[in-house]
Amino acid sequence: MEYRLERARPFVLVGMNFFGNPFRSAGAWDEDNEIGSLWKRLMAYLAADPGAVAALPRGDPAWFEAHVLHPSSAVNGDYEVFIGAETAEPLASPAACVVKVLPAADYAVATLRGDEMTPGWEERLAADALARYGRPLARGWGLQRYDSRFKGLGDPGSAFEAWSPLVPPDTAR
């Protein structure tokens, strides 16, 4: 894995979301689970209206998948999954889309390639963050960034970035 630190990075994203247990119909990293269905729903919408979201960066847009825990998540396994892109004009988004704002945070960014995308990668990133940055990962949300390097789950040449927020330095003890 390749690592870098992004400091004080906020996110304003436009896309679609889902709330519930995304693994009721199929397991993790299976395109038939609710996350896969959400990706299909958003991409079908954008294919029908290509100008609906002016995704950035232009020419090679990046798409983000956010997982946001809620107070009930530990009890029932339900949480929010959001898929969208940064855009220059989030308030000009169509009614079918939602705007998601994630606060500025320091992010441990890891690029995962091919067989690194196996179950347990989240735990490896958590251990690496503490060793590299001396701070644990914040547990409220996390992001995955997909761009032209991602070819699909079964493609060994595929890559994506995991953006994991770090606990602020003054509270990391």
Side-chain angles (χ1 to χ4, degrees), residues 7-87:
R7 293 194 178 275
R9 173 79 153 81
F11 283 92
V12 179
L13 304 169
V14 174
M16 295 182 172
N17 64 351
F18 161 85
F19 187 87
N21 182 335
F23 307 118
R24 283 200 173 105
S25 58
W29 291 100
D30 187 320
E31 292 178 358
D32 292 327
N33 66 26
E34 297 302 329
I35 298 170
S37 295
L38 180 58
W39 275 102
K40 291 171 192 165
R41 180 167 50 108
L42 178 62
M43 293 302 128
Y45 178 79
L46 295 174
D49 188 358
V53 175
L56 298 175
R58 302 202 196 291
D60 186 15
W63 295 91
F64 291 87
E65 180 178 307
H67 295 224
V68 182
L69 299 178
H70 290 266
S72 64
S73 296
V75 175
N76 60 19
D78 292 348
Y79 60 94
E80 180 184 7
V81 178
F82 172 89
I83 296 172
E86 289 185 287
T87 183

